[in-house]
Amino acid sequence: MAGSLLGSEMMLENAKLVSIIREVAEKEIIPIMEGLVEEGIRWFEISLSDGENGMQCIRTSRKHFKGRDVYIGAGTVTKKEEIDVLSDMGVPYILTPGFDEQIVRYALKRKIEVLPGVLTPSEVQAAANCGIHLVKLFPADAFSNHYIKSLKGPFPRMDYVAVGGVTPENATTFYRLGYKGVAAGSNLVPKHAQSTDLKTIRQTARKYVEAAKI
């Protein structure tokens, strides 16, 4: 029903820490990602919120890191046409901002792992009915720390990646609460970041890596 991906371990189950890169110019993407890789971050979500620039950043970074222990997927995926392009590129996984059953099923049909955004029990149930057992809880800082425990009651087999408001300071709490992983956005790599920001980005990355103990 949801595609052959569900018969084996999903890639993102191994991602304790994901760096979300949003609206960074193509010419800046490689120095920034190299800095993050050197600090121990291996998982990336490059957002398509800025359209073709995001696609080009994915192309450039995948070519640059080919053959290395670096995993690059696409974020803010909302259209089937984007999935077609990403599938042709060989992108292994995508993240969606919210839950869209058509997008989820289409991505799985194209043999792309999908981490859909959910917030409510209804969306968690819809994801489960698609055969998904790992979802992106967004925004993770919207409710109290008891929220994930409440969701685990009716959905004991679902796992979550915390996205939204994740900082080096609260990342440890998310892990302690039972989140499978966290994804850090502008708190790690600001929008429109440049190579001149790399020193600060690397310092922040060290704090996230320490929290994740990877």
Side-chain angles (χ1 to χ4, degrees), residues 1 4 20 25 50 63 78 99 104 116 124-125 144 159 163 172-173 177 180 201:
M1 177 170 62
S4 61
I20 302 170
D50 59 350
K63 180 179 179 180
T78 60
F99 186 81
V104 168
V124 175
Q125 181 171 316
S144 76
D159 285 311
V163 183
T172 302
T173 300
L177 291 170
K180 195 87 170 177
I201 291 171

Side-chain angles (χ1 to χ4, degrees), residues 143-205:
F143 297 130
S144 76
N145 292 342
H146 302 292
Y147 190 58
I148 186 175
K149 183 179 179 181
S150 297
L151 289 174
K152 283 285 188 179
F155 307 109
R157 289 180 290 277
M158 294 297 287
D159 285 311
Y160 303 87
V161 176
V163 183
V166 177
T167 67
E169 292 71 32
N170 66 21
T172 302
T173 300
F174 284 121
Y175 292 122
R176 178 175 54 80
L177 291 170
Y179 285 86
K180 195 87 170 177
V182 305
S186 58
N187 288 325
L188 175 56
V189 180
K191 287 183 181 180
H192 312 299
Q194 300 179 358
S195 302
T196 51
D197 302 312
L198 191 50
K199 180 179 179 181
T200 300
I201 291 171
R202 291 182 65 143
Q203 289 172 343
T204 306

Side-chain angles (χ1 to χ4, degrees), residues 128-143:
N129 287 340
C130 287
I132 299 288
H133 61 83
L134 180 68
V135 293
K136 165 182 131 178
L137 191 64
F138 173 80
D141 61 347
F143 297 130

